[in-house]
Amino acid sequence: MLRKSIELLKIEATQTGKGTLKRSLGAVNLVAIGVGVIIGAGLFSLTGIAAANNAGPAVTLSFIIAAVGCAFSALCYAEFAAMVPVSGSAYTYAYATLGELFAWIIGWDLVLEYSVGAATVGISWSQYLVKFLDKFNIHIPPQLVQSPFESVTLQDGTVVSGIVNLPAILIIFLITAIIIRGTKSSAIFNVVVVTLKVGVVIAFIGLGWQYIDPGNYQPYIPNNTGTFGEYGWSGILRGAGVVFFVFIGFDIVATMAQETKNPQRNMPIGILGSLLVCTILFILFGYVMTGLANYTEFKDSAAPVAIAIAHTPYQWLGVAVILAILIGYTSVILVDLLGQSRVFYSMSKDGLLPQVFSKLHPKYNTPSK
């Protein structure tokens, strides 16, 4: 039940020099990190699912309700991160309030979330890379995009067993190499990929807006079918539960507190700013998507965005969306691995993991191990 005092954590936060993390991130970098992990493939799939099965065109209200719920959590993270600007996020906050046992459990929860999350996203990245390259008649042998425990059925009915998911491994190694070279270079890379990803979302909103059919918004809140969660206000609430998944990730910003310049000012801006930017984009995205196609068209569809794009003359947007998902997954992997390494670093500094994980790289000053 041993707790770490706020005073001790503040002393750790102000330490500088050799063996400590370098403060190099500003508010813009933090907002980009938050946006980078929040906007993923979920936006392009769950928006259509929530509209088709739960909320109809009122999925925009579902986004607002989900954002309000996230805002309360974001305010807590912002206050903690400003009060105790050290790496570790919820692990460190638990250490200060609940004690070492709870901190150890939460620390491992975060490690599992970030490391398994990065691995899972790496697998999806590999699948979308195959789809993207297929558009240009470039085909990777199926044995090299599946694990040894998986098999895939080809178009001719042949079943092929996997050998190794090579693209998934390569993207993890590439992102790891970028992270080891330094937080600042990682942040710059993240800003570039986030700009590209957000650019595709804005292009979809801007180009699709002029082809919106107002009739698709009638009725804006479809009548409930008699089952809780199927349209009506209960459907909007259940839709909020579905799209809540899209918002997950803003908490990772808190893991970068010890590498942030003026954290008392910049951490709240980074956490709340990224949530605000994404909320605005999500509402506009949902509005345009349900305006281009009637929400009933998204029923049982694995690619609802493709259905919406079919109502515009811009068919190239379909390829752009796959590219945006690829880029989006890249930034999610980057931020996940950043967060995981920082939690490992904090736990190691506290003696809850071997000290090798808190030794910084002699050249890049990052927790490279």
Side-chain angles (χ1 to χ4, degrees):
M1 295 298 113
L2 176 71
R3 288 188 293 175
K4 211 169 185 180
S5 68
I6 299 291
E7 291 70 27
L8 181 59
L9 287 168
K10 285 183 175 178
I11 291 171
E12 287 183 11
T14 55
Q15 289 177 344
T16 56
K18 191 175 180 182
T20 60
L21 295 170
K22 186 179 178 183
R23 295 193 181 276
S24 57
L25 300 176
V28 173
N29 300 127
L30 294 174
V31 170
I33 287 172
V35 172
V37 75
I38 293 172
I39 299 182
L43 173 64
F44 301 101
S45 57
L46 291 179
T47 305
I49 291 169
N53 300 325
N54 308 115
V59 70
T60 50
L61 300 179
S62 296
F63 274 121
I64 293 171
I65 293 169
V68 170
C70 289
F72 288 114
S73 177
L75 285 166
C76 294
Y77 271 102
E79 187 165 354
F80 267 127
M83 186 189 304
V84 188
V86 296
S87 293
S89 183
Y91 157 76
T92 303
Y93 313 148
Y95 213 144
T97 55
L98 299 172
E100 190 172 76
L101 174 63
F102 290 98
W104 187 83
I105 292 169
I106 289 173
W108 277 110
D109 284 342
L110 291 171
V111 167
L112 283 169
E113 177 189 346
Y114 297 151
S115 57
V116 176
T120 307
V121 173
I123 293 165
S124 292
W125 186 92
S126 174
Q127 293 169 348
Y128 275 100
L129 178 68
V130 170
K131 285 184 181 179
F132 182 74
L133 293 178
D134 280 348
K135 299 279 186 182
F136 302 96
N137 291 318
I138 301 172
H139 306 291
I140 302 175
Q143 296 93 330
L144 298 181
V145 290
Q146 304 289 333
S147 81
F149 310 101
E150 294 176 297
S151 59
V152 61
T153 304
L154 304 181
Q155 288 182 339
D156 61 3
T158 308
V159 178
V160 177
S161 295
I163 299 173
V164 62
N165 196 331
L166 196 58
I169 293 173
L170 290 177
I171 190 64
I172 294 291
F173 271 100
L174 174 65
I175 297 301
T176 299
I178 292 170
I179 291 172
I180 287 174
R181 287 188 63 84
T183 306
K184 193 168 185 180
S185 60
S186 301
I188 292 169
F189 176 81
N190 186 59
V191 167
V192 172
V193 297
V194 167
T195 302
L196 292 170
K197 174 169 58 174
V198 171
V200 173
V201 175
I202 292 173
F204 174 82
I205 294 168
L207 296 174
W209 196 283
Q210 55 192 315
Y211 296 98
I212 287 175
D213 179 3
N216 289 327
Y217 296 126
Q218 305 300 326
Y220 192 69
I221 303 177
N223 293 326
N224 184 263
T225 61
T227 303
F228 184 89
E230 292 184 6
Y231 313 117
W233 279 101
S234 67
I236 292 171
L237 290 173
R238 179 165 285 183
V242 173
V243 300
F244 178 84
F245 179 81
V246 179
F247 286 95
I248 290 174
F250 59 84
D251 56 297
I252 292 182
V253 177
T255 64
M256 309 307 298
Q258 203 161 337
E259 293 158 272
T260 300
K261 295 180 286 188
N262 192 3
Q264 283 73 21
R265 170 186 177 272
N266 290 334
M267 286 308 298
I269 292 174
I271 294 170
L272 297 170
S274 59
L275 183 60
L276 178 63
V277 169
C278 290
T279 299
I280 293 169
L281 286 175
F282 292 170
I283 292 169
L284 292 174
F285 186 90
Y287 182 79
V288 171
M289 190 173 174
T290 52
L292 289 173
N294 191 278
Y295 68 93
T296 55
E297 294 183 52
F298 302 135
K299 206 87 169 171
D300 302 320
S301 173
V305 174
I307 294 171
I309 291 172
H311 289 267
T312 75
Y314 307 111
Q315 297 309 303
W316 57 266
L317 263 177
V319 178
V321 165
I322 294 176
L323 182 61
I325 291 172
L326 264 176
I327 295 169
Y329 275 151
T330 304
S331 60
V332 171
I333 294 168
L334 173 78
V335 179
D336 271 350
L337 291 179
L338 266 175
Q340 186 269 335
S341 60
R342 271 52 183 178
V343 174
F344 243 60
Y345 170 80
S346 293
M347 293 179 73
S348 175
K349 288 276 284 185
D350 292 334
L352 299 182
L353 279 173
Q355 287 196 348
V356 66
F357 294 112
S358 55
K359 293 187 184 300
L360 300 182
H361 193 284
K363 182 179 179 180
Y364 301 120
N365 215 43
T366 56
S368 55
K369 293 182 176 65

